[in-house]
Amino acid sequence: MSHDTAAHAAAHGSVWRRWVFSTDHKVIGCQYLFTGMAMAVIGGLMSYVFRMQLAWPDAPVPGYGVVSPGEYNALVTNHGSIMIFWVAMPVLIAALGNFLIPLMIGCDDMVFPRLNRLSYQIFLLSALVLLGSLAVPGGGFGGAWTSYPPLSAKGAYNLTPYGAPLWLVAVALEFVAFLLGGINFVTTVMNARAPGMKASYIPMVVWMIIIASILFMASVGPLVAGAVMLLFDQILGTRFFDPAGGGDPLLWQHLFWFFGHPEVYVVLLPAMGIVAEIITVFSRKKLFAYNTVLLTAAGTGVLSFLVWAHHQFVAGIDPRMAHLFTVTTLLISIPIAEMTFVFIATLYGGSITFPTPMLFALAFIAEFLIGGVTGIFLGSSGTDIYLHDTYFVLAHFHYTFFPIAIIATFAALYFWFPKMFGRMMNDTLGKIHFWGTVIPFNFIFIPLFITGMGGDHRRIYSYENFPMQMTPFLQELRIVATVSLVILLLFQVVFLFNFFWSLFRGPKAPANPWRANTLEWTAPSPPPHGNFATMPSVYRGPYEYSVPGRADDYWPQHVAN
Amino acid sequence: MIEWLVPEASTYARDIDWLFTSIFLTVGFWFLLAQAVFFWLLFRFRRRDGVPAQYITGEEKAEKRWISIPHALVIACDVFLIAATVMVWRNVKQVLPPADETIRVIGQQWAWTFVHPGPDQQLGTEDDVTEVNELHVTNGTVYHFELTSKDVLHSFSVPAFRLKQDAVPGRIITGWFQPTTIGQYDIQCAEICGIGHALMPARLYVETESAHAAWLRDRQA
Amino acid sequence: MALLKRVGRAAGCGLFALTLAAPVEAGAQDVARGAQLFDTCVPCHGANGAGSLDRRAPVIAALPAWYVATQIGNFKAGRRGYHPDDAAGLQMRPMAMALFTDADVQAVAAYVATLPPVPPTDVGGGDAGRGQTAYAVCLACHGPDGMGNEQLKAPPIARQGDWYLVAQLDNFKSGRRGSAEGDVTGMQMRGMSATLADQQAVQDVAAYVRTLRK
């Protein structure tokens, strides 16, 4: 059925049909990828504007002008929303999931190709609604990406009577898009695997995307309902979250974080999967303890539903509840630490090379460790009293999200670029880009840990009214962070150049440039409609590298012996 | 470690800073260990001609020890940290010592209103002193605060006290603090509350008993 | 709107750099900076300074620069917007605090003064006839046409919506405005407002001022 549709599209071969209304999973993956990259540029430039304001308050930001408090709020709100919902989600889950799942499990397309196309179209609409919300009278929504009512519920409070509902509509549409995509991913992996592909032969990145999709689908329901209720509060005058009308503002917080915390693992797990694929290939090693990784991922998934109220320790919940959520939150450190140990153990006894994708994958592990350990300070309710909503929190989650959404994504792009576009990226430019990204990244957020410990609260556009925060020491740290951000953004030009230049001029890629085992590398680069000339069968797991007694140090899954 | 950056001005500030330092040392140990092993492996097992990679599944019992032993150690650390956290949290948020005086704190867009009990030390009487963006307290006195909001969420944050509590409209949340150091400190709003969020700075004055009495007299004259 | 406007402004940024290099009249630069800083005021007072009854924000378009600067100064220093029951004043005070230097206060005031006058929103009510009698007290400073007098530091009131006049007279009468140290004209107004016996008298005066508009 799906093959017919693809063939039908190919037969009609117009540009319009092939690139815009295609049902081919690879094209849809690329649509998600390019949309996500465009949104990343927008989100990155927003961070430039508000970091400049923080470093040099009230001075006109070059290319923008003076930042007013309302605009600052809109910028930080939309930066956060964009980076999580319109960059991390579409690139890590939708783009890579769409591109990789059928190729890695050895089928010709998703089982619901039209649903897949609809998913992207709704996603694109959501992105356009969000960008549109920045241009309506009153400006973009500025109530933070968490959108806590009553601030978000009433135009009289947030002063963005059009921006706030549009933001909410955009987020709800985005959820719908990913629900459709998630159903498709899970069904495809359940039903369309190549002959012989047992559960334990599925590559880790596919497992991780599936677990992430299940987490997303299981957690997002309450928030979609909450979003509709909040929208009603905004435009119909209902009072679900308004205490004056018998509602409760804390209800939203529970609904939001019941989704919001699993969401962290929704994006983390695919990143972990990417890293598993890349470190095994470039250390020529079997993944250490495949089953353990799977178990820790499942354990993380289950626990992630039981930790949400650690975002609300000081929000007015019953103080006795905090103990429960401290325990679950610190417990989640166990599977995540274990997964990290597994990756480190995989390196043992390897024959490690360091091309660009491997550098990014290794940087993910090293940097994510910082994000992981600083989470303990916040999961502990006692220290969270002080650190809640300070820059310590901000630095912590950027040390998780930046490795996830940026570093792991770059690892994946450099790694699968040859398969996606049939050409190689330049490795020297890749390494320049790597160091130009990872070094400034640390110089942005290490100082912000310190300003957070020094009492800087988030979403404050200027500290000039706070004598304890306006010290030269803290201000210098803010300037270091801003300058590092500008350097980091400039180095992304190297990546964009490398990406687009290689897209058209890069050397032609062979089918399997990295000598990897998984099925996507048996297809031509780039794979045609239908993916495989002959549909592959699977004989072994994905990580049989350096098996003793074989001439080659890799043993592809589809080779019979 | 926080005390290097922000003075400790309440009784429980020291507890929270101690907890922070304990966590720092615990996770710092793990962090350094993991990074050291990680970089050593990268160096030790870099590709060398003629040295193939080893085939290790990680499924054998002996191999799994490399995961299960750190796993047990992480659990041990977690148990210690949970115990320490529970102690600190109980002390700061859960069990309130009896109050000498009670103040009322009201957040609104975009100001803090503080209702101080007057010389009679009773809230809700004629001699209450209401101030916008100024909170005056006596050093050493145990205070309860009754926190609420008139419109949206705010968060009453006094970094020097290590005190933070969200103000929720429709609820009165009671908490406590006992100042230990005379001085002036910032009060911030820590929950986004609209375009004036950064512009509702209030000041906290921790005073001696006589200075506080003088201030009260001055306010009632 | 503001963000989109900024994109346009970004395009003009190169030009702006050029104009900085050329010797420009100081006043013009003030107004340019004031126009940028005015973004802080837009959420309540609107891009044209017409104010908003819903947001309890008065008309500010075409107010004289000296008055705007004085009042921003009062808000910043806590001479206005200091009372816990003055909700609108407490919202305005932080916004004034967003202007960190006197130069920025002057720049915004200069820009506000350049905005063309706009008709205010009224809620109606009150008896203009009776109000005329009461207005005799106001006349000396605010003038027979309600357009104020800079020498006497009296602002034009004829361009203001009646609800705002009522709100401010109430504030003066109850001490929510004009009782702070250093607010000389505010203290005068406290005395003047005391001559209005009750809420009806306040509304009548506002009704009369409505008739002064051309």
Side-chain angles (χ1 to χ4, degrees):
Chain A
M1 148 82 194
S2 57
H3 196 259
D4 288 350
T5 320
H8 184 70
H12 276 75
S14 75
V15 172
W16 195 248
R17 208 88 178 103
R18 270 169 58 204
W19 295 109
V20 183
F21 290 107
S22 173
T23 53
D24 182 5
H25 70 99
K26 298 181 291 294
V27 174
I28 293 171
C30 286
Q31 288 173 332
Y32 268 115
L33 176 65
F34 285 113
T35 315
M37 280 169 65
M39 294 301 275
V41 170
I42 295 170
L45 290 175
M46 286 178 164
S47 69
Y48 155 78
V49 175
F50 60 71
R51 278 291 347 153
M52 290 295 281
Q53 157 68 20
L54 288 167
W56 294 284
D58 314 316
V61 176
Y64 184 84
V66 177
V67 183
S68 78
E71 287 167 354
Y72 181 89
N73 286 354
L75 285 166
V76 294
T77 300
N78 286 286
H79 166 78
S81 314
I82 285 176
M83 288 306 193
I84 289 170
F85 294 130
W86 282 277
V87 178
M89 295 279 288
V91 174
L92 275 170
I93 301 198
L96 292 175
N98 266 309
F99 187 83
L100 293 176
I101 286 175
L103 280 166
M104 289 186 111
I105 65 171
C107 69
D108 54 357
D109 204 328
M110 290 288 177
V111 293
F112 304 126
R114 290 196 183 137
L115 196 67
N116 210 14
R117 182 177 65 186
L118 180 66
S119 152
Y120 173 72
Q121 287 166 343
I122 295 175
F123 171 75
L124 182 65
L125 178 67
S126 77
L128 295 175
V129 171
L130 182 84
L131 294 178
S133 82
L134 302 176
V136 294
F141 177 54
W145 80 284
T146 52
S147 187
Y148 281 3
L151 179 67
S152 58
K154 268 198 202 170
Y157 291 150
N158 56 46
L159 304 178
T160 52
Y162 305 104
L166 280 175
W167 179 89
L168 201 56
V169 167
V171 171
L173 282 174
E174 200 259 7
F175 290 160
V176 171
F178 282 94
L179 274 172
L180 297 178
I183 292 166
N184 209 353
F185 291 171
V186 174
T187 317
T188 304
V189 174
M190 280 170 70
N191 294 323
R193 298 198 301 278
M197 183 170 272
K198 302 190 292 188
S200 60
Y201 289 177
I202 298 175
M204 200 46 77
V205 68
V206 174
W207 264 124
M208 293 293 190
I209 291 175
I210 291 309
I211 297 173
S213 297
I214 294 170
L215 284 186
F216 180 81
M217 290 192 289
S219 63
V220 81
L223 183 56
V224 172
V228 173
M229 285 154 76
L230 185 54
L231 198 63
F232 283 179
D233 272 16
Q234 286 173 342
I235 58 181
L236 300 181
T238 57
R239 291 171 145 194
F240 290 113
F241 303 115
D242 179 1
D248 188 348
L250 259 67
L251 172 61
W252 168 267
Q253 297 182 19
H254 288 292
L255 296 174
F256 184 88
W257 288 116
F258 184 78
F259 159 80
H261 207 81
E263 167 71 10
V264 174
Y265 300 98
V266 169
V267 290
L268 168 65
L269 292 179
M272 287 284 196
I274 290 164
V275 172
E277 300 303 323
I278 294 173
I279 60 171
T280 50
V281 168
F282 294 107
S283 60
R284 316 308 294 168
K285 273 290 306 293
K286 187 177 170 71
L287 182 68
F288 193 91
Y290 178 98
N291 291 325
T292 307
V293 178
L294 214 49
L295 279 175
T296 56
T300 308
V302 172
L303 273 177
S304 73
F305 285 99
L306 306 173
V307 299
W308 79 90
H310 67 214
H311 295 270
Q312 298 165 257
F313 283 148
V314 297
I317 60 170
D318 189 318
R320 288 166 298 184
M321 293 261 282
H323 299 308
L324 188 66
F325 285 96
T326 294
V327 171
T328 53
T329 304
L330 293 201
L331 282 184
I332 213 167
S333 68
I334 295 166
I336 292 292
E338 206 159 319
M339 211 184 291
T340 318
F341 294 150
V342 165
F343 289 172
I344 294 175
T346 299
L347 298 171
Y348 181 89
S351 172
I352 304 169
T353 50
F354 299 95
T356 310
M358 182 62 162
L359 286 178
F360 274 104
L362 294 172
F364 171 86
I365 297 174
E367 303 288 2
F368 184 78
L369 265 172
I370 302 181
V373 298
T374 51
I376 306 284
F377 294 87
L378 304 165
S380 160
S381 55
T383 36
D384 186 65
I385 298 167
Y386 180 69
L387 298 171
H388 178 81
D389 262 343
T390 63
Y391 268 75
F392 193 93
V393 176
L394 182 139
H396 153 71
F397 73 71
H398 279 88
Y399 258 104
T400 60
F401 264 102
F402 191 91
I404 290 169
I406 309 294
I407 294 181
T409 300
F410 279 135
L413 283 180
Y414 281 103
F415 186 65
W416 278 294
F417 187 91
K419 185 56 60 187
M420 286 177 170
F421 303 109
R423 290 176 188 270
M424 303 297 288
M425 282 179 86
N426 183 304
D427 199 51
T428 309
L429 286 178
K431 282 179 176 154
I432 294 171
H433 171 231
F434 170 76
W435 294 111
T437 303
V438 169
I439 295 172
F441 161 62
N442 289 289
F443 277 89
I444 298 172
F445 293 109
I446 296 279
L448 296 185
F449 276 120
I450 303 169
T451 63
M453 287 165 63
D456 271 13
H457 286 87
R458 295 167 66 187
R459 301 164 184 147
I460 301 279
Y461 88 108
S462 162
Y463 293 93
E464 286 157 286
N465 286 307
F466 299 100
M468 288 171 69
Q469 308 313 127
M470 208 52 201
T471 61
F473 172 66
L474 291 177
Q475 192 57 30
E476 272 160 30
L477 291 177
R478 291 180 201 124
I479 292 174
V480 169
T482 299
V483 171
S484 307
L485 172 78
V486 172
I487 294 171
L488 184 144
L489 287 175
L490 287 175
F491 269 99
Q492 302 318 303
V493 176
V494 177
F495 168 76
L496 290 175
F497 171 78
N498 193 359
F499 186 93
F500 287 105
W501 189 83
S502 305
L503 201 55
F504 299 105
R505 296 283 169 80
K508 290 262 187 226
N512 191 358
W514 313 117
R515 298 184 303 136
N517 282 345
T518 40
L519 291 180
E520 78 272 28
W521 303 107
T522 69
S525 300
H529 282 295
N531 295 342
F532 301 96
T534 50
M535 298 310 281
S537 291
V538 170
Y539 299 97
R540 66 190 59 77
Y543 303 113
E544 298 301 311
Y545 292 100
S546 309
V547 179
R550 289 188 59 83
D552 285 332
D553 64 354
Y554 67 118
W555 198 358
Q557 288 187 280
H558 70 289
V559 177
N561 49 47
Chain B
M1 297 175 72
I2 296 169
E3 67 270 21
W4 299 340
L5 293 158
V6 186
E8 291 172 330
S10 77
T11 47
Y12 51 63
R14 220 166 302 132
D15 301 342
I16 289 177
D17 291 358
W18 170 82
L19 183 61
F20 185 94
T21 307
S22 306
I23 298 175
F24 186 86
L25 294 175
T26 316
V27 304
F29 163 76
W30 278 107
F31 173 72
L32 290 179
L33 184 71
Q35 296 284 24
V37 171
F38 177 71
F39 281 100
W40 178 76
L41 288 175
L42 290 184
F43 176 77
R44 170 67 183 76
F45 292 104
R46 67 195 186 280
R47 198 189 84 81
R48 280 165 299 178
D49 288 336
V51 183
Q54 302 168 28
Y55 184 76
I56 302 169
T57 61
E59 307 290 354
E60 321 261 327
K61 229 179 172 145
E63 292 162 0
K64 278 207 167 157
R65 271 208 299 257
W66 290 101
I67 303 299
S68 59
I69 292 173
H71 171 98
L73 288 175
V74 169
I75 291 182
C77 290
D78 276 354
V79 169
F80 162 68
L81 292 179
I82 288 170
T85 297
V86 166
M87 268 163 43
V88 171
W89 177 268
R90 262 180 70 83
N91 177 23
V92 179
K93 289 284 185 190
Q94 195 176 330
V95 181
L96 278 59
D100 300 326
E101 280 191 34
T102 301
I103 52 167
R104 189 168 297 137
V105 181
I106 303 150
Q108 73 188 89
Q109 284 186 327
W110 294 286
W112 293 104
T113 304
F114 301 101
V115 185
H116 307 74
D120 67 351
Q121 304 192 327
Q122 295 296 317
L123 203 60
T125 51
E126 277 287 292
D127 65 348
D128 287 357
V129 173
T130 304
E131 280 283 338
V132 173
N133 290 342
E134 267 187 35
L135 173 60
H136 290 256
V137 295
T138 317
N139 195 24
T141 304
V142 176
Y143 283 91
H144 281 192
F145 59 84
E146 294 172 352
L147 179 63
T148 190
S149 163
K150 283 186 182 171
D151 37 43
V152 301
L153 299 180
H154 299 273
S155 189
F156 178 54
S157 174
V158 188
F161 281 0
R162 313 291 186 267
L163 162 64
K164 191 174 289 140
Q165 181 62 56
D166 283 8
V168 183
R171 292 187 190 198
I172 295 171
I173 297 171
T174 307
W176 75 283
F177 60 83
Q178 183 180 13
T180 57
T181 314
I182 289 164
Q184 291 185 26
Y185 308 100
D186 283 346
I187 297 171
Q188 301 191 31
C189 177
E191 190 64 73
I192 189 156
C193 57
I195 62 173
H197 172 53
L199 300 161
M200 46 189 292
R203 283 301 263 178
L204 166 69
Y205 298 82
V206 179
E207 301 159 333
T208 61
E209 228 162 282
S210 56
H212 191 70
W215 173 77
L216 278 178
R217 268 198 307 279
D218 183 49
R219 284 291 291 128
Q220 291 182 325
Chain C
M1 201 62 170
L3 278 176
L4 201 68
K5 193 174 70 192
R6 282 305 161 71
V7 178
R9 199 176 282 161
C13 194
L15 282 174
F16 184 67
L18 286 178
T19 56
L20 274 184
V24 188
E25 197 190 332
Q29 255 185 24
D30 273 6
V31 174
R33 169 128 179 122
Q36 290 218 352
L37 293 168
F38 188 72
D39 284 345
T40 305
C41 322
V42 171
C44 296
H45 292 284
N48 57 355
S52 157
L53 176 54
D54 289 345
R55 311 256 156 95
R56 292 165 300 178
V59 179
I60 52 172
L63 280 182
W66 64 264
Y67 178 70
V68 177
T70 312
Q71 292 306 312
I72 294 176
N74 281 349
F75 277 116
K76 270 187 77 169
R79 287 190 292 266
R80 199 177 160 184
Y82 53 81
H83 196 281
D85 295 333
D86 181 11
L90 288 176
Q91 287 191 313
M92 180 57 206
R93 188 174 167 199
M95 295 303 124
M97 282 156 62
L99 300 168
F100 290 96
T101 63
D102 285 346
D104 280 352
V105 173
Q106 299 291 346
V108 171
Y111 176 73
V112 169
T114 66
L115 293 171
V118 286
T121 315
D122 292 311
V123 294
D127 179 336
R130 269 185 305 191
Q132 182 167 20
T133 324
Y135 188 77
V137 184
C138 321
L139 202 120
C141 297
H142 291 284
D145 55 356
M147 289 308 287
N149 182 331
E150 184 174 352
Q151 267 69 47
L152 300 170
K153 299 291 172 217
I157 51 175
R159 292 206 181 114
Q160 216 45 264
D162 55 5
W163 64 269
Y164 178 72
L165 299 176
V166 170
Q168 293 309 310
L169 286 170
D170 283 347
N171 279 348
F172 283 122
K173 278 171 75 73
S174 63
R176 290 193 290 265
R177 182 178 173 186
S179 59
E181 212 170 307
D183 183 8
V184 180
T185 52
M187 286 184 182
Q188 288 174 347
M189 272 307 294
R190 283 212 66 188
M192 297 301 149
S193 66
T195 64
L196 299 169
D198 52 15
Q199 187 65 20
Q200 185 60 48
V202 168
Q203 296 205 349
D204 292 344
V205 167
Y208 175 69
V209 175
R210 232 170 27 223
T211 66
L212 294 178
R213 280 183 225 136
K214 313 251 159 33

